[in-house]
Amino acid sequence: MDRRTFYTLCEMLRDVGGLKATRNMMLEEIVAQFLYTLSHHLKNSTVKEFFYRSGETVSRQFDLCLLAVLKLHHFLLKTPKPIPENSTDDKWKYFKNCLGALDGTHIKVTVPTKLKGKYRSRKADIVTNVLGVCAPDMQFIYILPGWEGLAHDGRVLRDAISRPNGLHVPQGCYYLVDDGYANANGFLAPYRGQRYYLGGWTAQNTPHSAEEYFNMRHARARNVIERCFGRLKGRWAILRSL
């Protein structure tokens, strides 16, 4: 994040999020402390030593900054636009009226002992299942966190579309999903029983049928959500470790 972007974020947190400086801390320091904690996934004791603040101050200002950030979702989440008929994008021109792609990802969390069974994944990690929806330009459209690690992706998606302010799919538009989701109105899944993942095709091993060709094009476009998750976790250490 460059200085211009940082100061723009500070202005948004002040004007929209309601974050305020205190007698002893400038607003920029509060935001820097918040970003530093998330990007490096540091403990309170480490952050307080780095910024020369008490542990109580670090914890309180982190919570206030987090609440302010959550108020920015209307500005930070992108409004989806369908792929136009005259698109020349090699990955997306085959999917007219598509809005983007969605998938779930697991993020490690700490929960009470009595809840660990629900949040334990197939790999025995304690995680939450997060639904992410992104546009072709890798900007997030919608995020739904909080589900248990054992929750099926399809169940999380049903919850998202059933909420009053949840994921909305305009008539005639759709999102690309993998074979873990049902092929339904508003959600286009690949052909099952056919090669799908990108590693299955090479110059010497091209698609052998129309279904495989569709799956190849589908996988190349839908891969955008995997790249979004990878970039997000790469930048924010708190999302990839505990």
Side-chain angles (χ1 to χ4, degrees):
M1 180 181 293
D2 57 30
R3 290 187 179 184
R4 179 178 177 276
T5 303
F6 174 75
Y7 285 116
T8 299
L9 176 61
C10 291
E11 292 176 0
M12 294 178 67
L13 290 172
R14 181 191 63 213
D15 299 338
V16 181
L19 186 64
K20 298 179 181 179
T22 67
R23 183 178 60 182
N24 298 317
M25 289 186 69
M26 297 175 59
L27 184 142
E28 289 79 7
E29 182 182 351
I30 296 173
V31 178
Q33 179 180 279
F34 176 80
L35 296 176
Y36 187 72
T37 302
L38 295 183
S39 60
H40 297 286
H41 191 201
L42 299 175
K43 295 182 178 180
N44 184 291
S45 57
T46 304
V47 177
K48 75 175 185 179
E49 292 178 2
F50 186 85
F51 286 89
Y52 298 98
R53 299 293 180 182
S54 69
E56 188 277 334
T57 298
V58 170
S59 178
R60 174 163 42 83
Q61 295 302 331
F62 181 92
D63 291 343
L64 292 174
C65 192
L66 176 60
L67 291 175
V69 170
L70 293 176
K71 295 178 182 179
L72 302 183
H73 70 278
H74 290 299
F75 298 90
L76 300 181
L77 294 178
K78 177 171 181 166
T79 300
K81 295 182 180 179
I83 300 297
E85 290 286 340
N86 60 350
S87 174
T88 58
D89 189 310
D90 185 60
K91 289 185 178 180
W92 292 93
K93 64 184 179 181
Y94 303 94
F95 301 99
K96 312 301 181 184
N97 294 324
C98 181
L99 300 172
L102 64 84
D103 201 1
T105 187
H106 285 168
I107 295 176
K108 293 183 179 181
V109 292
T110 301
V111 297
T113 302
K114 63 180 180 180
L115 297 178
K116 285 187 176 181
K118 293 182 178 180
Y119 284 84
R120 194 180 305 278
S121 70
R122 297 176 181 176
K123 298 181 180 179
D125 294 322
I126 307 302
V127 297
T128 179
N129 193 346
V130 179
L131 173 68
V133 185
C134 75
D137 60 1
M138 297 184 66
Q139 294 190 49
F140 278 100
I141 295 170
Y142 180 81
I143 296 287
L144 177 62
W147 272 90
E148 301 92 336
L150 282 177
H152 189 273
D153 288 343
R155 184 182 179 190
V156 180
L157 178 57
R158 287 195 298 272
D159 179 37
I161 61 180
S162 65
R163 297 187 175 213
N165 296 319
L167 179 63
H168 174 65
V169 185
Q171 185 67 30
C173 297
Y174 58 93
Y175 289 101
L176 300 184
V177 298
D178 66 15
D179 55 6
Y181 299 88
N183 201 7
N185 289 334
F187 305 98
L188 182 62
Y191 285 99
R192 296 190 178 186
Q194 305 288 335
R195 283 188 300 165
Y196 178 67
Y197 294 100
L198 292 177
W201 291 286
T202 63
Q204 293 75 30
N205 192 13
T206 57
H208 298 148
S209 65
E211 290 79 8
E212 284 194 357
Y213 183 79
F214 173 84
N215 279 8
M216 180 183 70
R217 290 297 179 183
H218 188 286
R220 287 180 177 176
R222 198 199 63 83
N223 187 54
V224 66
I225 186 64
E226 305 294 346
R227 293 163 56 208
C228 279
F229 285 144
R231 179 173 294 183
L232 191 66
K233 292 180 179 181
R235 289 183 176 180
W236 306 104
I238 198 170
L239 297 179
R240 64 177 186 266
S241 63
L242 271 180

